[in-house]
Amino acid sequence: MSDVIISFAKVNKWFGQFHVLRDIDLDVARGERIVICGPSGSGKSTLIRCINRLEEHQEGHLSVDGVELTDDVKAIEKVRREVGMVFQQFNLFPHLTVLENLTLAPTWVGKMPKKEAEERAMAQLERVRIAEQARKYPLQLSGGQQQRVAIARSLCLTPKIMLFDEPTSALDPEMIKEVLDVMIDLAGQGITMLCVTHEMGFARSVADRVIFMDQGQIIEQNSPTEFFANPRSDRTRDFLSKILSH
Amino acid sequence: MAAANAMRSLIAARPAPPRTAGSLSWLRRNLFADWKNTLATLLVVAVLVDWLPFVIEWGIVDAVLRPDNAACRALEHAAACWGVIAEKYRLILFGRFPFAEQWRPLVGMVMMVGLLAVSCLPRMWNRWLPVAWVVLFTCFFVLMRGGFAGLSFVETAQWGGLPLTLLLSTLGLGAAFPLSILIALGRRSHLPAVRAFCIGYVELIRGIPLISVLFMASFMFPLFMPPGKTPDVLLRVFVGITLFAAAYLAEAIRGGLQAIPKGQFEAADSLGLTYWQAQRKVVLPQALRMVIPSIMNSFISTFKDTSLVTIVSLYDLTGSLGLALNGDANWRQFYFEGYLFIGLIYWIGCFSMSRYSQWIERRLAADAV
């Protein structure tokens, strides 16, 4: 199974008494694009945050690109270099310019010479169509622009896997499209993507698989066509009827 | 036709708005806005009219500037005797440092103030600045101690006055600042032992007056050392001031760390930055910027607190003034003028720090929008 890049085996996690992930079994193939949806509190963000160890699981096994995630700091560092993440609140560094936000990790983590890091950063900014803002500070940009910068930043270390944690939820409606367009571009380039989102149009057009979670469990997973046309469980049907009703 | 229409629809002229430019208008808005405001203005003016002539007469017109003891005594305190400063300024400024050698602390002090001014400019903040300070302190010590190339040896117990105040402040704060960052980070550490140690340190030191810390550093420390191995008194006091200032600074800095959103740490983690890289490049630059006013508050306190070293027989600026006056019955009575003089020196130091704090805050805020 060399084409499996992420593998969850009986993963369990609790926040105090709250059982947030229950017996998660999930294999993600290299290059696969997965959309994860579900009601709030269902554990979908926690699931992807376990992949780069922003959250630690307490039971079961989780390995990413052949590295098992444990308390081993070296393993965690190795995994984080392979995995990029985009957050709902962008989390850009406000004291650094856009360009400095992008070059920080390549120069310090990747030990890349400054000039090379800047060239690579500019290329990423071109890719998200925002190169002209390179010298500005994040708070001088609109939400959509900031999120595109955040995507470019996470691409600078050329990750094999990209995680998106509700990337458009904090955006004004007219800015959602510019971010989705960038994500669709990215999806066409063979990178493994896991995206927590309620943008069902995005799921339909780019996902290989849609996963529905509720109460810490994976309830249902299927190709988008099947998932939307023939949801198998009542909970999925109920959820879809709520978010697709308008 | 259009013109006629326009004429008919003209609005009647309204009264001109009140003038807001000019000095009369400024006076009205700021000093005589309503009756309370006017009353306050009149009271202040009355006090000034009553006092200003006296202050000017006392301090300038009738004052004796020459170091003429007889003339000063003749005043019978009806006017200021600035002669005491003219007579004693070398002793006040340099303490017990040998009179003929006082050019050495002067040169040291000028170098120190020069580097201090350079260090204030953000564009000088690079890896060479700490190196420059190490070189400066080394030169300062070598020059002050002497004992080579014809320079007579002067033991540290004889150093005093303004150079000592500046040395203890800069060296103490220079050492306390990095230490306080480590303590502030330690208080938020996931490692229970580190956290407990840092909390214990801060709570212990903050619970003790500086004067006790200095006493302990000066008198108790040597008791624990093997006989004949007493560390230098200046070193002991320096350690005391550093440990004390670090506890307060650490709490100021922790306030800033607390205000950094969780997302910043997560973003740094997800990019693969190590703990120290994340602190250094992401967290601390933002946290320190936020707490500049509190940090400067601690700096100002420490600068003035150095005057407490007098109790362990180091004569800083305040101590030297006592030394200069108490030993001389002729001039002892003019202590008020003496304290005004050193008060002015302290005030210049503190006010500069305060203004600098405001400037650097604006300057750094301008960088991030």
Side-chain angles (χ1 to χ4, degrees), chain A residues 170-230:
Chain A
L171 295 176
D172 290 335
E174 75 269 24
M175 294 173 183
I176 291 178
K177 186 175 176 296
E178 65 187 60
V179 171
L180 288 180
D181 284 349
V182 165
M183 290 168 62
I184 291 168
D185 267 7
L186 201 58
Q189 293 169 7
I191 196 166
T192 309
M193 278 171 78
L194 283 90
C195 183
V196 173
T197 183
H198 292 152
E199 294 296 333
M200 291 301 136
F202 174 78
R204 272 205 183 89
S205 60
V206 307
D208 298 311
R209 180 157 46 140
V210 180
I211 292 177
F212 174 72
M213 284 183 76
D214 191 19
Q215 294 175 7
Q217 286 171 303
I218 294 179
I219 304 291
E220 185 166 346
Q221 41 182 319
N222 219 328
S223 70
T225 343
E226 274 299 296
F227 181 84
F228 291 111
N230 302 307

Side-chain angles (χ1 to χ4, degrees), chain A residues 108-167:
Chain A
W108 287 85
V109 180
K111 309 283 178 223
M112 202 182 281
K114 190 170 175 227
K115 193 159 177 297
E116 192 189 336
E118 283 184 354
E119 277 164 15
R120 227 205 263 204
M122 287 312 294
Q124 293 299 345
L125 288 174
E126 299 279 358
R127 188 171 176 182
V128 301
R129 297 184 280 275
I130 202 163
E132 71 283 0
Q133 313 282 10
R135 303 283 163 190
K136 286 196 183 166
Y137 286 91
L139 296 179
Q140 293 170 309
L141 306 182
S142 74
Q145 290 174 320
Q146 289 189 53
Q147 193 60 297
R148 285 187 282 147
V149 170
I151 293 172
R153 178 175 72 175
S154 60
L155 289 170
C156 274
L157 280 174
T158 49
K160 294 180 182 155
I161 302 165
M162 281 291 288
L163 308 173
F164 293 85
D165 189 0
E166 307 209 29

Side-chain angles (χ1 to χ4, degrees), chain A residues 49 52 54 77 80 83 87 91-95 104-105 108-109 111 137 139-140 153 157, chain B residues 262-264 266-274 277 280-282 285-286 289 367-369:
Chain A
R49 285 159 62 89
N52 64 351
L54 288 185
E77 280 173 9
R80 282 178 177 164
V83 179
F87 300 86
N91 295 348
L92 294 174
F93 305 132
H95 62 299
L104 183 67
W108 287 85
V109 180
K111 309 283 178 223
Y137 286 91
L139 296 179
Q140 293 170 309
R153 178 175 72 175
L157 280 174
Chain B
K262 195 161 147 258
Q264 294 287 307
E266 289 180 351
D269 281 349
S270 76
L271 287 170
L273 296 176
T274 64
Q277 286 170 342
R280 178 158 163 225
K281 302 309 271 183
V282 176
Q286 297 183 62
R289 191 173 298 186
D367 270 357
V369 183

Side-chain angles (χ1 to χ4, degrees), chain B residues 57-74:
Chain B
E57 250 169 57
W58 182 86
I60 301 171
V61 180
D62 295 343
V64 172
L65 299 177
R66 288 161 292 123
D68 179 344
N69 193 251
C72 274
R73 282 163 170 277

